[in-house]
């Protein structure tokens, strides 16, 4: 099984707020000291990636027109 690791610039307090929100909504589950994504979290992540992809395309299209 492949283990992904991501690094972001978040302080501990802000990270805790986001982790709590994500677990409360069912997008993550806490297992020991680790958080794991749930099927609902994977679905949300795919949706966010699609939105980002669409926005990138639109952003590049408007830059070309200017």
């Amino acid at each position: 099984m492949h283990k992904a690791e991501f690094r972001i610039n978040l302080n501990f307090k802000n990270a805790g707020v986001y982790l709590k929100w994500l677990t409360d909504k069912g997008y993550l589950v806490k297992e020991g000291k680790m958080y794991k994504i749930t099927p609902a979290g994977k679905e949300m992540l795919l949706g966010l990636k699609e939105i980002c992809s669409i926005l990138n395309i639109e952003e590049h299209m408007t830059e070309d027109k200017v």
Side-chain angles (χ1 to χ4, degrees):
M1 179 184 215
H2 177 69
K3 181 180 176 182
E5 183 177 320
F6 300 94
R7 298 190 188 275
I8 55 175
N9 286 328
L10 266 185
N11 66 36
F12 185 77
K13 182 180 177 183
N14 288 338
V17 171
Y18 290 120
L19 289 170
K20 181 176 178 355
W21 185 86
L22 290 165
T23 54
D24 288 348
K25 298 294 182 188
Y27 299 125
L28 294 178
V29 292
K30 187 171 183 184
E31 295 182 3
K33 293 183 179 184
M34 301 285 293
Y35 286 87
K36 292 191 177 182
I37 194 166
T38 64
K42 286 181 183 179
E43 189 175 321
M44 181 189 66
L45 185 58
L46 288 172
L48 289 171
K49 285 181 179 182
E50 185 175 340
I51 290 168
C52 287
S53 175
I54 291 167
L55 292 175
N56 268 342
I57 291 169
E58 290 177 4
E59 180 181 33
H60 291 299
M61 289 174 63
T62 56
E63 286 179 41
D64 292 341
K65 291 180 182 178
V66 175

